[in-house]
């Protein structure tokens, strides 16, 4: 389990809808989808790049080779052929827990 405090820096930036970040220590993409935090692996299912992500218009782009994924983790453009694995998230107060 990975836990963080969404009220504390740097995770407080996730409070806004459509905010996202790469977890600073773990291979996890974090994104606020309509007010809920969702967590996906940041290891691209194409060839394993884990730190070349950007996110705009609710689409994740892995710039290693251009694969795109929607904010549900589903691949929408290759070369990746598999979705991003999603991790369950639970929230207790300002503590967010991710089950890896
Ligand atoms: Fe992400 Fe190739 S590793 S598109």
């Amino acid at each position: 389990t990975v836990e963080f405090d969404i009220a504390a820096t740097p995770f407080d930036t996730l409070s806004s809808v459509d905010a996202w970040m790469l977890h600073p220590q773990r291979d996890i993409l974090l994104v606020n989808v309509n007010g809920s935090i969702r967590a996906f692996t940041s290891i691209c299912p194409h060839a394993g790049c884990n730190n070349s992500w950007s996110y705009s218009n609710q689409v994740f782009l892995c710039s290693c080779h251009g694969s795109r994924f929607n904010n549900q983790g589903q691949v929408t453009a290759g070369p990746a052929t598999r979705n991003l694995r999603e991790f369950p998230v639970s929230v207790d107060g300002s503590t967010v827990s991710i089950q890896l």
Side-chain angles (χ1 to χ4, degrees):
T1 302
V2 172
E3 288 188 349
F4 61 85
D5 182 353
I6 199 167
T9 306
F11 298 101
D12 53 343
T13 59
L14 289 169
S15 303
S16 309
V17 171
D18 290 335
W20 77 286
M21 67 186 299
L22 198 55
H23 192 288
Q25 285 96 32
R26 308 297 289 263
D27 291 332
I28 306 171
L29 286 168
L30 297 164
V31 61
N32 182 324
V33 179
N34 297 325
S36 298
I37 302 299
R38 295 181 70 157
F40 301 96
T41 180
S42 65
I43 299 173
C44 181
H46 173 235
C49 286
N50 69 348
N51 60 1
S52 297
W53 295 100
S54 58
Y55 183 72
S56 66
N57 296 319
Q58 304 183 333
V59 172
F60 284 107
L61 167 66
C62 175
S63 58
C64 282
H65 312 96
S67 294
R68 292 171 193 271
F69 305 84
N70 65 20
N71 65 5
Q72 316 295 306
Q74 297 163 326
V75 62
T76 58
T81 57
R82 287 176 294 135
N83 298 336
L84 296 177
R85 181 171 172 215
E86 184 165 10
F87 302 120
V89 174
S90 57
V91 180
D92 181 8
S94 66
T95 301
V96 177
S97 301
I98 301 166
Q99 305 293 326
L100 300 185

